[in-house]
PDB file of all heavy atoms in Angstrom:
ATOM      1  N   PRO A  27     -20.400  25.697  10.070  1.00  0.00           N
ATOM      2  CA  PRO A  27     -20.244  25.332   8.603  1.00  0.00           C
ATOM      3  C   PRO A  27     -18.755  25.004   8.127  1.00  0.00           C
ATOM      4  O   PRO A  27     -18.604  24.174   7.312  1.00  0.00           O
ATOM      5  CB  PRO A  27     -20.800  26.505   7.875  1.00  0.00           C
ATOM      6  CG  PRO A  27     -21.736  27.142   8.896  1.00  0.00           C
ATOM      7  CD  PRO A  27     -21.045  27.018  10.098  1.00  0.00           C
ATOM      8  N   ALA A  30     -18.135  21.535   9.483  1.00  0.00           N
ATOM      9  CA  ALA A  30     -18.952  20.542   8.820  1.00  0.00           C
ATOM     10  C   ALA A  30     -18.536  20.304   7.318  1.00  0.00           C
ATOM     11  O   ALA A  30     -18.836  19.173   6.808  1.00  0.00           O
ATOM     12  CB  ALA A  30     -20.380  20.946   8.840  1.00  0.00           C
ATOM     13  N   LEU A  60     -26.179  22.349  16.090  1.00  0.00           N
ATOM     14  CA  LEU A  60     -26.892  21.713  14.985  1.00  0.00           C
ATOM     15  C   LEU A  60     -27.721  22.672  14.185  1.00  0.00           C
ATOM     16  O   LEU A  60     -27.946  22.565  12.986  1.00  0.00           O
ATOM     17  CB  LEU A  60     -27.828  20.618  15.568  1.00  0.00           C
ATOM     18  CG  LEU A  60     -27.022  19.327  16.035  1.00  0.00           C
ATOM     19  CD1 LEU A  60     -27.988  18.343  16.743  1.00  0.00           C
ATOM     20  CD2 LEU A  60     -26.268  18.667  15.043  1.00  0.00           C
ATOM     21  N   ALA A  61     -28.201  23.642  14.872  1.00  0.00           N
ATOM     22  CA  ALA A  61     -28.982  24.685  14.137  1.00  0.00           C
ATOM     23  C   ALA A  61     -28.283  25.473  13.202  1.00  0.00           C
ATOM     24  O   ALA A  61     -28.751  26.027  12.248  1.00  0.00           O
ATOM     25  CB  ALA A  61     -29.696  25.637  15.187  1.00  0.00           C
ATOM     26  N   ALA A  62     -26.814  25.464  13.406  1.00  0.00           N
ATOM     27  CA  ALA A  62     -25.911  26.244  12.507  1.00  0.00           C
ATOM     28  C   ALA A  62     -25.329  25.275  11.507  1.00  0.00           C
ATOM     29  O   ALA A  62     -24.656  25.769  10.605  1.00  0.00           O
ATOM     30  CB  ALA A  62     -24.861  26.878  13.279  1.00  0.00           C
ATOM     31  N   ARG A  63     -25.633  24.052  11.525  1.00  0.00           N
ATOM     32  CA  ARG A  63     -25.105  23.096  10.662  1.00  0.00           C
ATOM     33  C   ARG A  63     -25.780  23.278   9.246  1.00  0.00           C
ATOM     34  O   ARG A  63     -26.972  23.446   9.261  1.00  0.00           O
ATOM     35  CB  ARG A  63     -25.314  21.688  11.161  1.00  0.00           C
ATOM     36  CG  ARG A  63     -24.753  20.609  10.271  1.00  0.00           C
ATOM     37  CD  ARG A  63     -25.032  19.203  10.849  1.00  0.00           C
ATOM     38  NE  ARG A  63     -26.442  18.880  11.016  1.00  0.00           N
ATOM     39  CZ  ARG A  63     -26.898  17.767  11.574  1.00  0.00           C
ATOM     40  NH1 ARG A  63     -26.047  16.907  12.086  1.00  0.00           N
ATOM     41  NH2 ARG A  63     -28.244  17.632  11.645  1.00  0.00           N
ATOM     42  N   PRO A  64     -25.059  23.249   8.151  1.00  0.00           N
ATOM     43  CA  PRO A  64     -25.708  23.358   6.811  1.00  0.00           C
ATOM     44  C   PRO A  64     -26.797  22.400   6.536  1.00  0.00           C
ATOM     45  O   PRO A  64     -26.654  21.304   6.963  1.00  0.00           O
ATOM     46  CB  PRO A  64     -24.465  23.285   5.919  1.00  0.00           C
ATOM     47  CG  PRO A  64     -23.272  23.629   6.679  1.00  0.00           C
ATOM     48  CD  PRO A  64     -23.575  23.181   8.101  1.00  0.00           C
ATOM     49  N   HIS A  65     -27.759  22.755   5.873  1.00  0.00           N
ATOM     50  CA  HIS A  65     -28.863  21.846   5.455  1.00  0.00           C
ATOM     51  C   HIS A  65     -28.303  20.673   4.729  1.00  0.00           C
ATOM     52  O   HIS A  65     -27.530  20.914   3.749  1.00  0.00           O
ATOM     53  CB  HIS A  65     -29.870  22.597   4.624  1.00  0.00           C
ATOM     54  CG  HIS A  65     -31.068  21.775   4.295  1.00  0.00           C
ATOM     55  ND1 HIS A  65     -32.029  21.283   5.190  1.00  0.00           N
ATOM     56  CD2 HIS A  65     -31.362  21.205   2.970  1.00  0.00           C
ATOM     57  CE1 HIS A  65     -32.781  20.533   4.517  1.00  0.00           C
ATOM     58  NE2 HIS A  65     -32.536  20.513   3.160  1.00  0.00           N
ATOM     59  N   GLY A  66     -28.707  19.533   5.105  1.00  0.00           N
ATOM     60  CA  GLY A  66     -28.332  18.319   4.380  1.00  0.00           C
ATOM     61  C   GLY A  66     -26.906  17.734   4.810  1.00  0.00           C
ATOM     62  O   GLY A  66     -26.621  16.624   4.461  1.00  0.00           O
ATOM     63  N   ASN A  67     -26.255  18.444   5.723  1.00  0.00           N
ATOM     64  CA  ASN A  67     -25.012  18.018   6.207  1.00  0.00           C
ATOM     65  C   ASN A  67     -25.223  17.089   7.489  1.00  0.00           C
ATOM     66  O   ASN A  67     -26.023  17.291   8.153  1.00  0.00           O
ATOM     67  CB  ASN A  67     -24.140  19.180   6.643  1.00  0.00           C
ATOM     68  CG  ASN A  67     -22.763  18.796   7.019  1.00  0.00           C
ATOM     69  OD1 ASN A  67     -22.534  18.343   8.130  1.00  0.00           O
ATOM     70  ND2 ASN A  67     -21.751  18.941   6.025  1.00  0.00           N
ATOM     71  N   HIS A  68     -24.346  16.142   7.607  1.00  0.00           N
ATOM     72  CA  HIS A  68     -24.569  15.125   8.664  1.00  0.00           C
ATOM     73  C   HIS A  68     -23.427  15.195   9.750  1.00  0.00           C
ATOM     74  O   HIS A  68     -23.256  14.195  10.472  1.00  0.00           O
ATOM     75  CB  HIS A  68     -24.572  13.692   8.103  1.00  0.00           C
ATOM     76  CG  HIS A  68     -25.657  13.416   7.082  1.00  0.00           C
ATOM     77  ND1 HIS A  68     -27.064  13.460   7.531  1.00  0.00           N
ATOM     78  CD2 HIS A  68     -25.658  13.346   5.763  1.00  0.00           C
ATOM     79  CE1 HIS A  68     -27.762  13.332   6.480  1.00  0.00           C
ATOM     80  NE2 HIS A  68     -27.041  13.248   5.327  1.00  0.00           N
TER      81      HIS A  68
END
Side-chain angles (χ1 to χ4, degrees):
L60 292 176
R63 184 178 64 180
H65 179 71
N67 186 280
H68 300 292

